[in-house]
Amino acid sequence: MAYNTIRYDVASGVATITLSRPGKLNAYTAEMMRELIDAFDRVDADDDVRVVVVTGDGKAFCAGADISEGVDGFKVGVDSELRTPDGGIDYSSDAMRDGGGRMTLRIFELKKPVIGAVNGPAIGIGATMLLPMDIRLASETARFGFVFARRGIVPEGASSYFLPRIVGIGRALEWCCTGRIFDAKEALHGGLVSRLHRAEDLLASAHALAREIADNTAPVSIALTRQMLWRGLGMSHPMEAHRVESRGVFSRSNSDDAAEGVAAFFEKRAARFPDLVTRDMPDYFPWWEEETYR
């Protein structure tokens, strides 16, 4: 796919995805959704990519949905396509799906870690797309806003799942019910981001963190770990975690990666893990039943 709204670059095992509509403050469109999903598909299919960094071009990370043409920027589906024969609405239709949620669910399903580098305002979908990313860094000048109620709509991007789990229900409700814009310090204090950086240092810091992961960890271990932790948020009992972890320990302790990791430790050298995500995921993966929109 040729990209019009993003840039996709790979260097030394790190893919950088840049939202690139700077004249529109990188406002989100259906085209951007499709391009981001395609880019994340490329990430999962490429064993040379170990980590992803997502950032914005210009002054903003993402100013939200592109509503420059009016309220149609919020709408999903075509009304006539969603009508049942009796004139009702088919809420199970795939055409009903929120475009932000399609994209954030793709991030959730990734086998590679994702670092968000928030270089400027992250509003609406610009804020919610950050939530399934594993690590979120921000410029000291970044701003955030879950502004949906101020626009007459509701949170999207599966944020009603992610946001309370990341920052707690009380803070999530405060941010969503007020719809106010808040600064980077409040985002840091609330746990939405883990570190603040000077604007000129942000991307380099994100890439340094990506390098730490890419240079020192086993890709299959990271793929399993990422899904274990995210999907563990929905577990109802620690026994569920114990089952998955036991399978993982058995599988990986008998792997070539584990033999290499131990050898590298004793030989005091960098490990060269041989297993690949596209080829060597264990036979119990995935351990969950895929959810469908219905």
Side-chain angles (χ1 to χ4, degrees):
M1 178 184 289
Y3 299 142
N4 297 312
T5 69
I6 68 172
R7 296 198 308 271
Y8 181 88
D9 304 288
V10 178
S12 302
V14 178
T16 302
I17 298 174
T18 306
L19 311 182
S20 189
R21 300 183 72 218
K24 295 286 189 177
L25 299 179
N26 304 323
Y28 190 80
T29 63
E31 183 178 27
M32 182 180 284
M33 174 200 75
R34 291 189 293 270
E35 292 181 1
L36 284 169
I37 290 172
D38 183 81
F40 289 123
D41 287 345
R42 290 176 66 178
V43 164
D44 263 347
D46 187 351
D47 285 316
D48 289 335
V49 173
R50 296 291 317 282
V51 188
V52 188
V53 174
V54 182
T55 193
D57 187 2
K59 298 178 180 179
F61 178 76
C62 173
D66 188 343
I67 55 173
S68 59
E69 302 298 323
V71 72
D72 285 349
F74 287 145
K75 290 182 178 179
V76 296
V78 177
D79 187 82
S80 60
E81 296 176 355
L82 298 172
R83 292 292 171 179
T84 59
D86 63 1
I89 298 174
D90 180 8
Y91 286 105
S92 66
S93 170
D94 196 64
M96 173 71 70
R97 294 182 61 187
D98 151 47
R102 288 177 183 265
M103 187 267 294
T104 59
L105 286 169
R106 184 63 189 91
I107 298 175
F108 177 73
E109 293 162 359
L110 270 176
K111 299 182 184 73
K112 315 288 177 73
V114 187
I115 300 170
V118 188
N119 57 299
I123 310 299
I125 179 60
T128 59
M129 77 166 69
L130 295 168
L131 301 179
M133 298 182 190
D134 305 293
I135 304 167
R136 293 166 297 278
L137 313 179
S139 162
E140 293 171 339
T141 59
R143 294 179 294 149
F144 303 82
F146 299 91
V147 298
F148 310 103
R150 294 194 179 201
R151 303 294 177 265
I153 59 171
V154 297
E156 43 66 275
S159 57
S160 56
Y161 174 90
F162 290 113
L163 187 59
R165 286 167 169 80
I166 293 170
V167 305
I169 187 66
R171 197 175 304 273
L173 281 166
E174 178 188 342
W175 285 344
C176 290
C177 288
T178 64
R180 62 183 172 80
I181 306 296
F182 53 94
D183 62 20
K185 288 183 179 178
E186 184 171 344
L188 177 66
H189 180 71
L192 182 59
V193 301
S194 59
R195 304 180 196 174
L196 300 184
H197 297 275
R198 295 187 304 172
E200 60 268 29
D201 298 332
L202 175 65
L203 197 55
S205 298
H207 280 111
L209 183 57
R211 287 255 53 84
E212 183 177 359
I213 297 170
D215 292 344
N216 296 289
T217 62
V220 173
S221 295
I222 290 294
L224 291 170
T225 298
R226 184 178 191 276
Q227 290 299 320
M228 287 163 68
L229 267 63
W230 274 117
R231 294 183 187 275
L233 293 175
M235 293 177 181
S236 60
H237 192 282
M239 181 58 77
E240 295 180 63
H242 179 55
R243 290 190 194 104
V244 174
E245 290 168 6
S246 295
R247 294 172 187 177
V249 171
F250 172 79
S251 168
R252 300 319 296 157
S253 64
N254 287 284
S255 71
D256 292 338
D257 274 356
E260 168 62 11
V262 171
F265 174 78
F266 282 113
E267 295 168 15
K268 296 181 172 56
R269 60 171 174 80
R272 298 180 292 273
F273 295 110
D275 288 349
L276 303 176
V277 168
T278 59
R279 184 190 66 198
D280 299 308
M281 295 297 287
D283 59 4
Y284 70 88
F285 179 89
W287 58 87
W288 60 87
E289 292 186 11
E290 291 292 350
E291 293 283 346
T292 58
Y293 186 84
R294 58 187 183 276

